[in-house]
Amino acid sequence: QAWVRLEEAIAEASLYEERILPAARSQIAAAEAGYQSGRDDFSDLMAAERRLRSLERQYEESLAKTWTRRALLARAAGVAPNTLSEGGAK
């Protein structure tokens, strides 16, 4: 059960890193272009920035969860966390 939870946490962190954060950064680029062209308001740009900061915080929390679950798995296995094979946190 601890291994499954670790794998879930790793998948969540990977999702943030590979898809969610890049998409949020793209939204900022689009909002900047919209603001510079006069199509969007400055508030749209700030909202995109706030969303990115919130998602970055959630990503950091998912990394912390990964390390916590890795430690719990290591404790359950009776080994040091750094001795677990591939499947650990980034």
Side-chain angles (χ1 to χ4, degrees):
Q1 200 174 34
W3 187 262
V4 170
R5 287 188 176 146
L6 173 59
E7 290 295 324
E8 289 171 350
I10 291 168
E12 180 181 316
S14 293
L15 183 63
Y16 274 102
E17 186 176 11
E18 296 169 9
R19 290 193 174 172
I20 296 172
L21 291 176
R25 290 183 185 111
S26 293
Q27 287 176 345
I28 288 176
E32 285 176 345
Y35 175 67
Q36 290 175 354
S37 70
R39 187 185 74 230
D40 294 329
D41 294 330
F42 184 71
S43 63
D44 296 326
L45 177 58
M46 289 296 93
E49 287 280 351
R50 280 192 298 276
R51 276 191 300 275
L52 175 61
R53 299 300 166 240
S54 176
L55 292 169
E56 287 173 335
R57 180 187 49 78
Q58 291 172 31
Y59 169 64
E60 294 298 328
E61 289 172 358
S62 74
L63 289 178
K65 185 188 324 179
T66 299
W67 284 105
T68 299
R69 290 185 176 175
R70 183 183 178 113
L72 290 172
L73 175 61
R75 185 176 73 183
V79 299
N82 61 347
T83 62
L84 292 176
S85 62
E86 188 58 34
K90 296 181 178 191

